[in-house]
């Protein structure tokens, strides 16, 4: 894995290139790094991760958005634990990318405690202050302030797991009382957010298979506090094509609103239904390319 060169004598962020590339392929999330002395935004829909971790009125207000969305889109009231599960997913999915994208792209793992992250979900914005990061020997970023060099890839994977746990652990504590799930189930959700977030971004980058291999090493199923493995496996489509899928370690509870419309990676979705959905998705993705080729 190559890493971008840093201009000698010029202060640079070790993760700026990673976050910029993230926004290039996924415009739904923009990450702004806070400079020294710059305060995180407040008001206008912004919420600090530490406020979510504390629970209370701020978390209630955050989840009120999810409750209103369910009522608007599905015309029914969801259980409070379902609303909390939706809200946690909508925060944890992008929050994990703050750590996993720099690891996947440039082999740098920032530490982002809850005190250093804020989120504006309607705009798809996050702010982060990176004070410390891990990297491999030979990385030019090792000369930057806050760098900590680790010996090899496995040590760096350990840094990813630790950094996500450091950030999500307090958040899970904040959401937990509203979710009617035990610790293992909550960390199963964290496992899924890590895997599905970077798997999706890697697909946009054209590196889905590499992401699957690396996630299997990152999440082997034996690393506490995480529960479950990366869960990838292959299905065969109607024309013999390979259809990658994964088995989630947790359930998002969407079935409580639409019992017949489960997610393709849901443990409740049988393989025949997965093949049908994945084949339809592949055909839909191929259609614009076919049309463009015919127009040439």
């Amino acid at each position: 894995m190559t890493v971008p060169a840093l201009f000698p004598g010029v202060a640079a962020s070790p993760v700026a290139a990673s976050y910029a590339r993230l926004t290039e392929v996924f415009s739904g999330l923009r990450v702004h790094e806070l400079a020294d002395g710059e305060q995180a935004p407040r008001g206008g829909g912004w919420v600090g991760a530490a406020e979510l971790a504390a629970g209370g009125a701020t978390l209630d207000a955050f989840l009120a958005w999810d409750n209103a969305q369910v009522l608007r889109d599905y015309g029914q009231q969801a259980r409070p634990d379902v609303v909390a599960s939706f809200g946690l997913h909508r925060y944890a999915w992008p929050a994990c990318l703050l750590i996993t994208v720099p690891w996947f792209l440039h082999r740098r793992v920032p530490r982002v405690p809850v005190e250093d992250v804020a989120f504006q979900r309607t705009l798809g914005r996050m702010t982060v202050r990176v004070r410390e990061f891990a990297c491999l020997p030979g990385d030019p970023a090792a000369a930057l302030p806050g760098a900590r060099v680790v010996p090899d890839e496995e040590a760096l994977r350990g840094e990813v797991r630790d950094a996500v746990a450091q950030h999500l652990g307090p958040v899970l504590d904040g959401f937990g009382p509203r979710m009617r799930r035990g610790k293992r189930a909550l960390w199963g959700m964290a496992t899924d957010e890590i895997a599905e977030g970077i798997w999706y971004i890697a697909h946009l980058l054209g590196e889905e298979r590499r992401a699957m291999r690396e996630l299997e090493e990152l999440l082997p199923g034996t690393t506490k506090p995480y529960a479950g493995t990366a869960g990838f496996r292959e299905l065969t489509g109607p024309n013999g094509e390979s259809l990658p899928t994964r088995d989630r370690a947790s359930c998002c509870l969407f079935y409580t609103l639409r019992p017949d419309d489960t997610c393709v990676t849901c443990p409740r979705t049988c393989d025949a239904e997965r093949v049908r959905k994945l084949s339809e998705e592949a055909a839909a993705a191929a259609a614009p390319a076919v049309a463009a080729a015919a127009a040439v």
Side-chain angles (χ1 to χ4, degrees), residues 16-61:
S18 298
Y19 294 156
R21 184 69 176 124
L22 169 62
T23 299
E24 285 178 8
V25 298
F26 180 57
S27 61
L29 180 62
R30 293 174 58 197
V31 180
H32 171 69
E33 287 186 78
L34 297 173
D36 289 343
E38 183 180 3
Q39 298 298 310
R42 302 185 65 85
W46 285 93
V47 61
E51 296 175 284
L52 297 179
T58 298
L59 181 54
D60 290 338

Side-chain angles (χ1 to χ4, degrees), residues 22 39 65 78 111 117 130 157 199 229 234 239 247 264 285:
L22 169 62
Q39 298 298 310
W65 188 96
R111 291 289 179 136
V117 175
V130 177
R157 286 190 286 270
W199 186 31
T229 68
E234 302 281 337
N239 299 312
D247 294 315
V264 72

Side-chain angles (χ1 to χ4, degrees), residues 49-164:
E51 296 175 284
L52 297 179
T58 298
L59 181 54
D60 290 338
F62 185 82
L63 294 177
W65 188 96
D66 298 279
N67 189 61
Q69 177 266 325
V70 169
L71 288 170
R72 181 183 67 248
D73 292 353
Y74 303 109
Q76 65 186 94
Q77 179 66 62
R79 298 188 328 233
D81 60 308
V82 174
V83 171
S85 294
F86 290 178
L88 175 61
H89 163 67
R90 287 163 175 161
Y91 174 76
W93 193 90
C96 286
L97 294 177
L98 295 175
I99 298 164
T100 58
V101 166
W103 164 69
F104 185 72
L105 289 179
H106 297 125
R107 289 302 191 255
R108 296 168 186 169
V109 181
R111 291 289 179 136
V112 288
V114 291
E115 294 79 13
D116 290 336
V117 175
F119 183 42
Q120 215 291 6
R121 64 174 173 188
T122 58
L123 298 177
R125 300 282 300 276
M126 299 192 92
T127 65
V128 61
R129 192 186 309 278
V130 177
R131 307 173 193 266
E132 180 184 354
F133 69 99
C135 62
L136 293 170
D139 188 333
L144 293 176
R148 188 175 69 262
V149 178
V150 298
D152 53 32
E153 291 280 1
E154 178 51 35
L156 200 65
R157 286 190 286 270
E159 291 287 335
V160 176
R161 293 187 289 262
D162 289 349
V164 173

